[in-house]
Amino acid sequence: MASADTPDSFARLYTGIALHYEVKSLSPACKYLFRVQAVNGAGSGPFSSVSTATTPACSPGAVTGLRAVASSAHEIRVSWRPPDAHGSPINAYNVELNGELIVIGADLEWNIDDLTPDTNYRIRVQAVNGHGAGPFSPSLRCTTKCLPPPPPRLECTGASHNSLKLRWSSDSQDATFTLEMRSSADGRFASVYTGTQKTFKVTRLNECSVYQFRLHAVNEAGPGPLSEVYTFSTARALPPSLKAPRVSLTPSGVSIEWSPVRPMPPDSVLYQLQVHDGVQWRDAYTGPDVSFSVSTAVEQVRVCAIRVGSDRLSGPFSPSATVPQKTVERVEEPPVVVRPRVRPRPWSDHEWAVLILVGFATVAAVFALVAQQLLV
């Protein structure tokens, strides 16, 4: 037997004594050539003349080269290569999606839509001609993309005079976020942050100013919708810290001076002076002046600025300054001369006898005078 495509390449199919033979496993719609020769004990006879036979057409072969790509959260693009038509033109293809059959035309690709996001689908394809449907291709699995993430919710977790700390929440996994701020110059939104973090601190802002922001998330399915516009305001700045006040002694007490802070319009600035008396700090002065005098004894002084507007904002206290103490002059007293104490000499027996004698004489004279007065 030989194929019409290779008429010179005959292959032996059968050797035996039967007068017939059934050839199997032939291709549909193909022309084949046949010839026969007899063999006996004397050898092989000549071949017969060539006979031809054509197999009938049938259903097409299996589709090959099947590919499926998720183009969005709701669509899968399917493509394939045409199979052998087996003698009859292919007029349709059947696309099976999770057991559901979709009949399409003779195109070699198809866009399957109205699918569920983030869902896995089993796909296979078969060709159809005038003799019926061919076998299905090997099945292929494809998962649709996730939906683009919804707009995150934005909030301000901290505001200073020159910065805003923002935070947002989102249920999207592996999303990238883009934060935009409206420009005060032209009113357009411009990106100030792009990344996977869910917090960002916007710096270099002006105090007591209003800023507008919006946000959107991006994942493998594409960018999600923009959030609503959020409005946040910066706070008022605290007064700066002052240098340690200058202290000097005066005849009446202590003079204290300090440097003023720069103006902070539209607010006014006051100063608070505290003194330490060795036990605790206490307020000594609050007002707009940059000097003050105290007459009481103090050991240390410090001062801070207060910004007065809709409310009062006190800045940090300056380093404390030590008050010098007055020196007291001491009057020198003349030295005290300490003389040694002289002990008295003890009396002798003779001196004691004279003393006793004089005593008896005195007593006798007194008695005699008394007796004379009594007798008169």
Side-chain angles (χ1 to χ4, degrees):
M1 181 188 76
S3 171
D5 297 332
T6 56
D8 296 330
S9 300
F10 280 88
R12 180 177 295 180
L13 296 177
Y14 170 75
T15 299
I17 60 174
L19 299 179
H20 61 86
Y21 180 74
E22 183 178 359
V23 184
K24 299 180 179 180
S25 300
L26 301 180
S27 297
C30 288
K31 183 178 180 181
Y32 292 94
L33 309 178
F34 299 91
R35 65 185 181 181
V36 180
Q37 72 176 171
V39 180
N40 60 15
S44 298
F47 279 101
S48 67
S49 60
V50 176
S51 298
T52 62
T54 301
T55 55
C58 67
S59 59
V63 169
T64 60
L66 179 63
R67 295 180 68 250
V69 178
S71 53
S72 71
H74 301 283
E75 297 179 347
I76 294 178
R77 190 73 176 176
V78 184
S79 62
W80 56 89
R81 291 195 297 269
D84 192 334
H86 289 172
S88 179
I90 295 175
N91 52 32
Y93 288 96
N94 293 331
V95 178
E96 186 183 78
L97 181 72
N98 283 0
E100 180 182 353
L101 204 62
I102 304 172
V103 180
I104 64 174
D107 297 330
L108 297 179
E109 60 180 9
W110 188 255
N111 195 47
I112 308 173
D113 54 11
D114 295 331
L115 303 180
T116 304
D118 195 21
T119 302
N120 185 268
Y121 290 92
R122 186 175 65 87
I123 304 169
R124 59 181 185 172
V125 179
Q126 67 179 173
V128 180
N129 63 10
H131 294 273
F136 274 103
S137 67
S139 61
L140 185 68
R141 289 192 172 273
C142 183
T143 302
T144 52
K145 294 183 178 181
C146 301
L147 281 173
R153 297 173 294 277
L154 186 63
E155 61 178 334
C156 179
T157 59
S160 68
H161 68 283
N162 62 355
S163 66
L164 292 170
K165 188 173 183 180
L166 306 180
R167 180 178 65 188
W168 52 89
S169 56
S170 174
D171 297 330
S172 301
Q173 302 295 327
D174 301 326
T176 300
F177 303 96
T178 299
L179 177 67
E180 298 178 348
M181 182 175 72
R182 188 190 295 274
S183 171
S184 58
D186 56 10
R188 296 181 179 179
F189 280 92
S191 174
V192 294
Y193 170 77
T194 298
T196 58
Q197 300 296 322
K198 295 183 180 180
T199 60
F200 183 70
K201 186 176 183 180
V202 187
T203 58
R204 299 181 181 179
L205 305 179
N206 298 322
E207 69 167 343
C208 297
S209 299
V210 177
Y211 294 91
Q212 291 184 323
F213 300 90
R214 67 184 185 184
L215 185 69
H216 74 275
V218 181
N219 63 7
E220 62 178 5
L226 286 166
S227 69
E228 62 179 285
V229 176
Y230 293 85
T231 302
F232 305 112
S233 302
T234 52
R236 294 161 59 220
L238 291 175
S241 176
L242 301 175
K243 295 182 179 180
R246 301 178 295 276
V247 181
S248 61
L249 297 178
T250 63
S252 60
V254 180
S255 176
I256 307 165
E257 298 179 355
W258 54 89
S259 300
V261 299
R262 59 177 177 80
M264 308 182 76
D267 300 338
S268 59
V269 177
L270 302 179
Y271 301 95
Q272 181 181 10
L273 174 67
Q274 288 188 341
V275 297
H276 198 282
D277 55 8
V279 178
Q280 61 182 358
W281 289 100
R282 59 181 177 85
D283 294 339
Y285 168 76
T286 301
D289 297 334
V290 292
S291 64
F292 190 71
S293 296
V294 295
S295 58
T296 57
V298 295
E299 295 183 359
Q300 292 179 313
V301 295
R302 64 183 183 182
V303 66
C304 75
I306 302 174
R307 184 176 184 178
V308 182
S310 58
D311 55 359
R312 287 193 170 198
L313 294 176
S314 297
F317 275 101
S318 68
S320 59
T322 302
V323 178
Q325 301 299 317
K326 292 183 178 180
T327 57
V328 179
E329 297 182 359
R330 297 181 60 184
V331 179
E332 295 185 0
E333 298 180 357
V336 178
V337 179
V338 180
R339 297 180 179 179
R341 187 175 181 181
V342 180
R343 297 181 61 184
R345 180 181 57 81
W347 288 7
S348 63
D349 294 342
H350 178 71
E351 289 174 337
W352 279 109
V354 174
L355 178 60
I356 294 172
L357 181 60
V358 172
F360 276 115
T362 302
V363 173
V366 172
F367 276 110
L369 182 59
V370 173
Q372 185 179 0
Q373 292 295 328
L374 292 176
L375 292 177
V376 175

